Amino acid sequence: MRGPTDLLYLLTRAERLLARRLSGILDAEGCSPDAWRVLTLLADGRGHFMTELSERAFLPPGSLTRLIDHLVEENLVYRRGDDLDRRRIKVHLTARGRRFHQRVDQRIRATLADVPLGDSLTGLVEALECSPGHTFAARQSR
């Protein structure tokens, strides 16, 4: 690899190939890649604030709000005001959302069983998250 431009190209290519590979599963389930990213973030069971979801799902706040509205209508997620600051909204998976995520996640894992996802990728992601200018990592460290 010669530099950051090559890395950007390879990461973009990997993301597009992965999205293409998963599109059949997500399409069959009526789930967009954006919705899948949000559901996967919420699958940890802790609930997440809208601002965090926006950043971690790579969606502008307005787009995320529309997506969450749709997921609420589908009874996959629900919103709650924060206990400490009612102006902040926390999103959680519903029981139906958990079952949906588990079912689709199993299909995706089976489809990706032959893809080598090792520690080197995890290390790269962690290094990029800790780099200057990554606002979510900066907020988490405060």
Side-chain angles (χ1 to χ4, degrees), residues 5 13 21 26 70 75 77 80-81 86 91 127:
T5 304
R13 180 170 158 75
R21 195 163 184 181
L26 295 177
H70 173 73
N75 192 28
V77 304
R80 288 284 183 259
R86 288 285 180 193
V91 182

Side-chain angles (χ1 to χ4, degrees), residues 27-103:
D27 289 347
E29 295 288 347
C31 185
S32 70
D34 289 338
W36 181 248
R37 275 194 299 276
V38 169
L39 293 172
T40 299
L41 290 168
L42 294 172
D44 65 7
R46 295 181 300 163
H48 294 274
F49 292 111
M50 292 287 286
T51 51
E52 178 189 350
L53 287 174
S54 175
E55 190 167 316
R56 293 189 65 199
F58 312 106
L59 292 169
S63 297
L64 176 66
T65 298
R66 285 187 295 278
L67 177 61
I68 294 297
D69 288 345
H70 173 73
L71 294 174
V72 167
E73 289 174 15
E74 296 293 317
N75 192 28
L76 296 174
V77 304
Y78 66 93
R79 298 181 189 108
R80 288 284 183 259
D82 182 36
D83 292 336
L84 301 175
D85 183 352
R86 288 285 180 193
R87 294 171 296 176
R88 298 185 69 195
I89 303 297
K90 210 169 201 182
V91 182
H92 303 266
L93 282 181
T94 62
R96 182 173 188 262
R98 276 191 300 282
R99 289 190 304 272
F100 178 85
H101 182 268
Q102 289 169 349
R103 183 181 72 245

